[in-house]
């Protein structure tokens, strides 16, 4: 079974703090993704990575950065947290597509509250 | 622009009634389409993909390219089907990254 784990289920941070969200997958997947999930908006892609040290912006990268130093680990960084970044953050991983889309496996999510 | 629209935020039905969760997409090429489901306190998971043409937990979905739709159907809803359902689109040959574009989601509530 694919396992995608996220470092925290719940996190409360203050405005202006630097926040690190960690994601680890154990299936040697090449692709990893960070989404935020908001009611009425669905899932929106923040960043994704298709290889170690490689990253691509998603649809809403502003205010976020990412790091992928090892294949199994993908970190999302909020440089200076703001209240509008209060959300559920989901990490996902998948195999390299090669012309067809493979299933994305999701972590349990981190509910971040910025006060 | 690539977009997935799920027009209903909430769909409420009684047990045994037919269910249809609507999904429309906007994409100029030939997409791959998926339904993902999130049950209460569980992680988001794949329910089915159009390319497999399979029925999962009694659900089916047919890709209608003319109407650009991929509606999810089940003839007889069960209480355990209550969940959040997301339709998602992946552009074909998207460079191997298999990015997904999600709709806003529809919450299905099945009442006894």
């Amino acid at each position: 079974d694919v396992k995608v784990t996220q470092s925290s289920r719940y996190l409360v941070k203050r405005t202006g703090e630097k926040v690190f969200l960690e994601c680890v997958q154990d299936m040697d997947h090449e692709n990893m993704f960070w989404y935020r999930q908001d009611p009425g908006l669905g899932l929106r892609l923040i960043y994704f990575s298709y290889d170690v040290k490689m990253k691509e912006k998603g649809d809403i990268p502003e205010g976020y950065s990412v790091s992928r130093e090892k294949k199994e680990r993908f970190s999302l960084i909020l440089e200076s947290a703001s209240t509008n970044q209060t959300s559920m953050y989901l990490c996902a991983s998948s195999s390299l597509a090669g012309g067809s889309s493979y299933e994305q496996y999701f972590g349990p999510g981190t509910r971040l509250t910025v006060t | 622009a690539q977009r997935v629209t799920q027009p209903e935020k909430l769909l409420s039905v009684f047990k045994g009634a037919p269910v249809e969760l609507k999904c429309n997409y906007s994409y100029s090429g030939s997409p791959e389409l998926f339904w993902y489901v999130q049950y209460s306190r569980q992680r988001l998971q794949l329910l089915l993909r159009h390319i497999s043409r399979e029925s999962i937990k009694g659900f089916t979905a047919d890709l209608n390219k003319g109407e650009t739709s991929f509606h999810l159907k089940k003839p007889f809803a069960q209480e355990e089907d209550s969940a959040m359902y997301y339709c998602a689109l992946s552009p074909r040959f998207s460079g191997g990254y298999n990015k997904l574009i999600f709709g806003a989601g529809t919450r299905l509530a099945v009442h006894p």
Side-chain angles (χ1 to χ4, degrees):
Chain A
D1 253 2
V2 175
K3 271 287 170 59
V4 180
T5 57
Q6 295 183 228
S7 51
S8 306
R9 291 302 302 272
Y10 300 94
L11 212 50
V12 179
K13 295 292 181 180
R14 293 197 180 278
T15 302
E17 277 193 84
K18 191 169 187 176
V19 182
F20 294 86
L21 303 183
E22 304 284 337
C23 175
V24 177
Q25 51 94 5
D26 67 356
M27 284 302 290
D28 201 36
H29 282 168
E30 294 81 5
N31 299 329
M32 294 189 76
F33 307 83
W34 275 107
Y35 296 91
R36 62 179 283 177
Q37 182 182 31
D38 298 289
L41 296 176
L43 278 75
R44 293 178 292 167
L45 182 64
I46 304 171
Y47 266 97
F48 66 100
S49 168
Y50 50 91
D51 200 353
V52 175
K53 297 192 186 294
M54 306 304 289
K55 60 186 179 184
E56 292 282 341
K57 291 180 180 178
D59 299 317
I60 52 163
E62 297 79 19
Y64 303 95
S65 61
V66 290
S67 172
R68 192 161 181 205
E69 297 296 320
K70 293 184 178 181
K71 191 175 184 179
E72 68 272 17
R73 188 179 296 271
F74 192 35
S75 302
L76 179 69
I77 303 151
L78 286 67
E79 296 291 342
S80 177
S82 63
T83 54
N84 62 13
Q85 293 178 309
T86 291
S87 185
M88 173 69 87
Y89 289 88
L90 298 183
C91 174
S93 72
S94 74
S95 232
L96 191 61
S100 183
S101 289
Y102 284 79
E103 177 177 356
Q104 287 191 16
Y105 294 86
F106 284 83
T110 295
R111 184 165 293 284
L112 172 67
T113 302
V114 183
T115 61
Chain B
Q2 302 162 0
R3 186 181 296 122
V4 176
T5 303
Q6 294 180 250
E8 301 140 329
K9 287 187 178 179
L10 172 66
L11 186 61
S12 190
V13 301
F14 287 102
K15 178 183 172 180
V19 168
E20 182 178 54
L21 289 90
K22 294 186 176 0
C23 172
N24 289 92
Y25 67 89
S26 172
Y27 179 64
S28 57
S30 183
E32 293 190 56
L33 285 147
F34 305 82
W35 278 98
Y36 278 78
V37 61
Q38 190 168 28
Y39 301 102
S40 179
R41 287 187 281 278
Q42 293 187 28
R43 60 186 71 194
L44 193 63
Q45 59 187 287
L46 178 68
L47 179 63
L48 55 79
R49 70 188 86 194
H50 91 271
I51 208 165
S52 302
R53 295 182 172 275
E54 55 195 347
S55 172
I56 303 291
K57 298 185 178 184
F59 284 98
T60 58
D62 290 318
L63 177 60
N64 185 323
K65 291 185 179 179
E67 295 182 359
T68 59
S69 68
F70 187 56
H71 302 327
L72 183 68
K73 299 177 184 179
K74 185 169 183 177
F76 307 103
Q78 302 298 316
E79 288 180 69
E80 55 265 30
D81 297 327
S82 295
M84 193 74 176
Y85 291 81
Y86 292 97
C87 183
L89 175 156
S90 179
R92 280 271 177 101
F93 308 114
S94 54
Y97 310 147
N98 84 297
K99 289 168 57 176
L100 287 175
I101 300 162
F102 284 87
T106 297
R107 180 166 297 284
L108 174 64
V110 182
H111 303 285

